[in-house]
Structure formats: structure tokens, C-alpha cells
Amino acid sequence: MSELEAQLDEVDNTTGAVATDDAVKQPAFELTSSRQFTSWLVESGWSRAFTTYQAGKILLLGTKSDGSLSIFNRNLNRCMGIAVKDSSLFVGTLTEIVRFENAMSKNDHATQGEDALFVPQMCWYTGDMDIHDLAIGDDGLIFVNTLFSCLGQPSVTHSFKRLWQPSFIDRLAAEDRCHLNGVAMRNGAPAYVTAVAETNIADGWRDHRRDGGIVIDVQTGEIAARGLSMPHSPRWYRDRLWVLNSGEGTLGYIDTDQGAFVPLAFCPGYLRGLTFHENYAIVGLSEPRGSRTFADLPLQARLDKEAITARCGLYVIDLETGDIVHWARISGVVKELYDVAFMGGVRNPAMIGFHTGEIRRIISIDQ
């Protein structure tokens, strides 16, 4: 079992023990993993990015040259969806979408063996639209505009441009009617979305959290599956539509012929965030907060039956067997995750923030 403890702070992003004044010391971040998690991370040659809007941070998990875990964080207010394409990292926050670029090849500022340095390079100011998933398609950046119950794109002159909305939503209104939250891309275009309920009433989805969840085919507008419990993070991978049935704590796929959810694996937490690497799925787990949104879900009954508590962390699942082959459990200041993404070809990433002197000195030239 490996352990990593770090102080999560906008100014000091070092890993390991951090000496601070007791009066200003923040809650510790602790990551405990299965014995083979670190070696699997090293063998994959990739790093992971994950967000927690509960703690307002994006965290970059990688490995150092000596094979030990590294963790790097930056404060981003209510950060949720992540999208990665080539050297670009997109992150949705409370009021904007930020595009970070890897500048390491142009600026050698590595201090602890980092092999990537993500620098904020572009920002779209959207206002507070409760942006959830982000995706990159053939036509550029796409995001789930949960407040307005639609898929949107950034605009150079407005808060957003409407791209698509469910047929049962009769107009654009800032009412979060169905809690549209996830988008799955296929062949460079949005193919499926998830919503907590098929409702056209302001905040109406809250009355259907237990089994009103749906998956919608974007191209046809038809409901591809019903009866889910607060589904999230639809992803098309290896000719299957994978979905997190979050209210039940299960990863599975949609049998599009039968319109049914086929569970593969149970995880002891509220699931959000899904990505893949070879024959493995990596899912994010959260501790359900004590609010009505998470009350009376099937997940709690399963946890009670097994006599365990919900966990926060990352689980690695074998797509053939459904076995949990690796895990990383997070405790301390971070209790909820939203999205998880792979960063290919990067082992030990770092990121420039908005409130440090570094951003003044990182300058690159477009040749």
C-alpha cells in the first residue's frame, strides 16, 4: 500500500510534508492506494487530471522519476468538466472555461522533475451556467450547459451559443429543468447525453432522482435508455456507450437494442468522472454530501447492506471482468470528485496558476 500526503494550497504545490504555521494550516490531503496502483500508473506512461468543485481544485496525479506518486494542484473556483486534446487542457469553472497549454518544450521551468507545464492561454467568460461535462469535437469545444438544459459552445460575443437541446425542453430558460450533465462524443460529434429526469419544469428533476434518469440519442432526439438513478459521464469507448449509474454506484453500458443499462461493477461511492486506458475504466468516487440531492438513493441501501461508508477516490476497473484491479482513496479536504481525464505522454505534470508571480514570467512565441 502506498501513501501520499500533501498540503493543498494555491501558493505551495509541493508534495510530502509541508511545514506551515499552525494558525493557517489547511486540512491535509491524503491519498492511500492499493499496492500496485503506483506501478500501474508508471507502466501506463500517462498522468491523470481530476477536479473537485467541492474543494475548488484541479489536481494532477503523476509519478516522479524515482517511481513515487506526485500530486500537483491549483485553485479553480467550482471546477468541474475537463477535456484534453493533444497539448491542450480545458477546464470548466464557475464563470469561465479556461484553456491551458503545455509550455514545457518552450520554457524549461521544471523544479521537481516535471515533464509538462500547463499555462493558462485562453479564457471564455460564460457567467454561472453550472457547466458540467466538456468535450472536444470536430467543430471545437462543446459543453453541457446544465442551467439552460442544453449543449452549448463558447461565443466571442455572448455567454454561449446553443448547439442542441432535448426535444422535451420547450425553450431556453435558466431553470435547470432536467439536470442535463454529461455528453458522449462519437466520430467527432456529440452522440449521447445524460439527464437526471425527463422534465420541462424548473428544478423538476429533483423529484425523479431515484429512477428517472435517462440517456438521450443526440442525433435522433430519442430516449436511448430510461430508469437510471442520476446517471453521469456517458462515454463512447470500444463500440459501447458506457455510463455511470451514479445513484446506484455502478459502472455499466447501455444495451441500445434493448434500451437497458447493463451493470458491470459496483463502487462504494457516488460516481462521477469516467475515462479509459486500454482495457481499463477509471472512475471517480465521491462521498455523498448530507443534502436532499443525495438522500434516499439506492447507493445508500447498498452501502448499508455491506456495512461500509462511501469513499472518495479513483477506481480502476477491468472492462472484461468488472474486477476492481487498482484503487486510490482520497481523504482530508477533498471529499467529492467530478471529472477524471488522462493526459497522454505526460508523467509528472505541473500547472501555472493565476495568482502567482510565475504567470508574469511564462512567455511563449507562436512561430
Side-chain angles (χ1 to χ4, degrees):
M1 181 178 294
S2 59
E3 297 182 359
L4 176 67
E5 182 171 342
Q7 201 70 28
L8 296 191
D9 187 273
E10 175 67 14
V11 177
D12 192 339
N13 283 277
T14 57
T15 57
V18 179
T20 60
D21 190 296
D22 289 341
V24 297
K25 187 174 182 179
Q26 306 216 4
F29 171 89
E30 296 178 324
L31 185 149
T32 305
S33 67
S34 56
R35 290 192 302 117
Q36 301 300 322
F37 178 80
T38 304
S39 60
W40 174 76
L41 199 62
V42 171
E43 291 170 4
S44 74
W46 290 21
S47 57
R48 282 62 171 163
F50 54 100
T51 54
T52 165
Y53 69 90
Q54 165 257 328
K57 295 180 181 293
I58 180 170
L59 299 106
L60 309 180
L61 180 66
T63 53
K64 300 178 183 179
S65 56
D66 62 3
S68 62
L69 286 174
S70 67
I71 189 77
F72 198 96
N73 80 97
R74 285 296 183 188
N75 290 346
L76 291 173
N77 193 9
R78 194 177 167 80
C79 54
M80 297 183 72
I82 311 172
V84 177
K85 182 175 176 60
D86 301 326
S87 63
S88 302
L89 171 65
F90 299 81
V91 185
T93 72
L94 177 66
T95 58
E96 62 266 334
I97 301 173
V98 185
R99 176 173 180 164
F100 294 85
E101 291 292 329
N102 181 10
M104 182 61 77
S105 61
K106 308 163 189 173
N107 302 278
D108 185 13
H109 288 268
T111 59
Q112 297 185 37
E114 299 96 338
D115 60 352
L117 181 66
F118 288 93
V119 178
Q121 206 67 59
M122 182 180 294
C123 181
W124 293 273
Y125 292 95
T126 61
D128 185 357
M129 298 185 299
D130 198 16
I131 293 173
H132 278 58
D133 277 8
L134 302 182
I136 307 297
D138 292 343
D139 295 327
L141 180 65
I142 296 169
F143 61 87
V144 179
N145 187 334
T146 302
L147 182 64
F148 283 87
S149 308
C150 71
L151 295 181
Q153 288 187 295
S155 169
V156 296
T157 55
H158 296 78
S159 296
F160 74 100
K161 174 183 178 181
R162 178 179 57 183
L163 181 66
W164 176 91
Q165 69 185 46
S167 58
F168 57 82
I169 300 294
D170 61 4
R171 64 184 178 88
L172 282 179
E175 297 178 345
D176 187 9
R177 297 180 175 186
C178 62
H179 206 66
L180 197 74
N181 56 43
V183 59
M185 304 294 289
R186 184 181 183 187
N187 299 325
Y192 297 92
V193 297
T194 48
V196 174
E198 185 182 1
T199 62
N200 192 39
I201 301 297
D203 207 35
W205 59 273
R206 294 185 185 275
D207 295 329
H208 305 275
R209 296 170 298 108
R210 188 175 181 86
D211 57 6
I214 56 175
V215 178
I216 311 172
D217 186 321
V218 172
Q219 302 303 315
T220 66
E222 300 295 323
I223 306 297
R226 299 180 183 272
L228 285 82
S229 181
M230 299 189 73
H232 281 80
S233 308
R235 305 288 186 260
W236 185 265
Y237 185 69
R238 291 187 174 178
D239 297 324
R240 272 184 174 170
L241 175 60
W242 298 88
V243 174
L244 299 179
N245 200 18
S246 306
E248 292 186 355
T250 51
L251 163 71
Y253 62 90
I254 300 300
D255 182 334
T256 52
D257 292 332
Q258 300 296 322
F261 174 78
V262 182
L264 175 69
F266 171 77
C267 302
Y270 186 80
L271 305 185
R272 284 176 303 201
L274 172 63
T275 190
F276 298 89
H277 178 66
E278 296 179 346
N279 197 47
Y280 302 101
I282 298 86
V283 301
L285 285 71
S286 297
E287 300 177 20
R289 71 184 87 102
S291 69
R292 184 176 180 275
T293 300
F294 298 97
D296 302 322
L297 294 176
L299 169 63
Q300 190 57 54
R302 178 68 182 272
L303 294 174
D304 292 342
K305 177 183 177 181
E306 303 293 343
I308 57 175
T309 59
R311 300 175 182 180
C312 175
L314 303 172
Y315 269 36
V316 182
I317 302 169
D318 188 310
L319 292 177
E320 293 183 0
T321 64
D323 293 343
I324 312 299
V325 293
H326 308 291
W327 53 264
R329 188 170 182 178
I330 297 170
S331 59
V333 65
V334 176
K335 301 182 183 302
E336 296 182 31
L337 303 183
Y338 180 76
D339 207 358
V340 182
F342 268 108
M343 293 189 288
V346 176
R347 289 182 177 271
N348 187 9
M351 177 179 282
I352 294 296
F354 298 93
H355 306 296
T356 67
E358 296 171 294
I359 198 170
R360 299 171 58 187
R361 301 187 296 271
I362 303 298
I363 298 174
S364 61
I365 301 172
D366 190 344
Q367 300 291 349

